[in-house]
């Protein structure tokens, strides 16, 4: 069983469209994250959810909206896509935020905006 | 602002040629320093956590060490399968954020 799974793995779309990426973890973790990795491999935190509540938002544009229906799922919805949104988006999970050590990552979702 | 700097950006080694990767950090206290390995097209995979200066961790050909300002990932007699990007991340001890901040990684290629 995959611990952290993301879908879709690849996403190609036009500027201005709206898209979603789904993430699920079966590790029983309380905290989930979305990271964005640019073309230079830099991983930057976007959101963190602890027990379905947003605990940090690193000045991400409000076109990005995380949604967590339960603690095992954290989806990312993006409105009005822009060229600069092209990147690989990684979902991750960990135990309680204040005890965060090891992050478990999904395999990533490569978003290409044309 | 907390910063994590990794060097070199890229490293090419011959099989068996030992070397070290560097991760220097400036944080207001350290709650933990983490090393991850990332293969192309995959998510980062956890390797080690270090918490205090002088601490060392080992796994196969990899050994991570920590001082008050930097961490080294030593690779002894590397093999081609060690080729990957190695990422360092730190968690500050203060500031209210528990989220690890990542460096830009070192891309390692080991030639047979």
């Amino acid at each position: 069983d995959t611990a952290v799974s993301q879908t879709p793995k690849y996403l190609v779309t036009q500027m201005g469209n709206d898209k979603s990426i789904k993430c699920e973890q079966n590790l029983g973790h309380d905290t989930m994250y979305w990271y964005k990795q640019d073309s230079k491999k830099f991983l930057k935190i976007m959101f963190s959810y602890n027990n379905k509540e947003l605990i940090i938002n690193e000045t991400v544009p409000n076109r990005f909206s995380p949604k967590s229906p339960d603690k095992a799922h954290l989806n990312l919805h993006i409105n009005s896509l822009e060229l600069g949104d092209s990147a690989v988006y990684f979902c991750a999970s960990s135990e309680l935020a204040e005890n965060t050590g090891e992050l478990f990552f999904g395999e990533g979702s490569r978003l290409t905006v044309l | 602002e907390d910063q994590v700097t990794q060097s070199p950006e890229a490293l090419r080694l011959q099989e068996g040629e030992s070397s070290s990767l560097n991760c220097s950090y400036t944080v207001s206290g350290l709650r933990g320093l983490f090393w991850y390995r990332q293969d192309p097209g995959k998510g980062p995979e956890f390797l080690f956590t270090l918490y205090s200066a002088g601490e060392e961790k080992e796994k196969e050909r990899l050994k991570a060490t920590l001082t008050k300002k930097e961490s080294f990932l030593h690779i002894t007699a590397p093999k081609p399968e060690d080729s990957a990007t190695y990422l360092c991340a730190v968690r500050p001890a203060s500031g209210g954020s528990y989220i690890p901040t990542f460096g830009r990684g070192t891309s390692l290629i080991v030639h047979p």
Side-chain angles (χ1 to χ4, degrees):
Chain A
D1 271 348
T2 304
V4 181
S5 58
Q6 302 177 223
T7 54
K9 189 171 176 64
Y10 300 98
L11 192 53
V12 181
T13 189
Q14 300 286 332
M15 279 178 56
N17 285 349
D18 302 338
K19 291 294 177 186
S20 293
I21 305 172
K22 295 185 176 182
C23 179
E24 176 182 4
Q25 56 98 359
N26 62 7
L27 298 167
H29 287 162
D30 291 293
T31 306
M32 296 184 71
Y33 311 81
W34 277 107
Y35 278 86
K36 178 180 180 180
Q37 189 171 49
D38 61 24
S39 57
K40 293 188 180 296
K41 300 289 189 183
F42 184 44
L43 265 174
K44 187 170 183 182
I45 183 69
M46 298 178 69
F47 300 103
S48 176
Y49 255 75
N50 186 11
N51 279 330
K52 298 194 293 177
E53 294 185 14
L54 181 68
I55 59 173
I56 192 167
N57 176 340
E58 290 290 324
T59 63
V60 173
N62 58 15
R63 297 182 296 104
F64 291 80
S65 55
K67 288 184 170 55
S68 182
D70 55 62
K71 78 171 191 178
H73 296 84
L74 181 62
N75 303 323
L76 183 65
H77 189 75
I78 315 169
N79 290 326
S80 304
L81 279 157
E82 300 178 358
L83 292 176
D85 297 333
S86 295
V88 181
Y89 292 84
F90 285 98
C91 177
S93 73
S94 72
E95 295 177 347
L96 278 176
E98 54 266 36
N99 297 329
T100 299
E102 179 179 355
L103 296 180
F104 291 79
F105 285 86
E107 297 219 325
S109 297
R110 180 176 293 276
L111 171 65
T112 303
V113 182
L114 303 175
Chain B
E1 185 178 323
D2 300 331
Q3 286 194 336
V4 182
T5 304
Q6 292 189 245
S7 62
E9 188 174 321
L11 181 62
R12 292 177 180 268
L13 299 173
Q14 288 297 127
E15 185 171 1
E17 179 187 1
S18 301
S19 188
S20 295
L21 313 182
N22 177 267
C23 172
S24 62
Y25 61 92
T26 53
V27 293
S28 50
L30 183 69
R31 191 186 291 262
L33 183 141
F34 312 94
W35 283 99
Y36 288 81
R37 168 190 172 129
Q38 185 175 20
D39 292 300
K42 302 287 187 182
E45 179 184 348
F46 172 78
L47 292 173
F48 304 109
T49 306
L50 302 166
Y51 292 103
S52 56
E55 189 175 358
E56 298 182 351
K57 294 274 180 74
E58 284 189 68
K59 181 179 181 179
E60 296 181 353
R61 294 176 293 282
L62 300 177
K63 179 180 177 179
T65 61
L66 181 65
T67 72
K68 289 186 177 179
K69 294 183 178 180
E70 59 191 348
S71 175
F72 291 95
L73 185 65
H74 307 279
I75 304 178
T76 302
K79 299 182 177 181
E81 53 262 43
D82 294 321
S83 297
T85 295
Y86 291 86
L87 298 166
C88 169
V90 297
R91 284 183 66 211
S94 61
S97 171
Y98 305 107
I99 312 302
T101 298
F102 281 81
R104 293 181 178 269
T106 293
S107 176
L108 172 66
I109 297 176
V110 182
H111 297 285

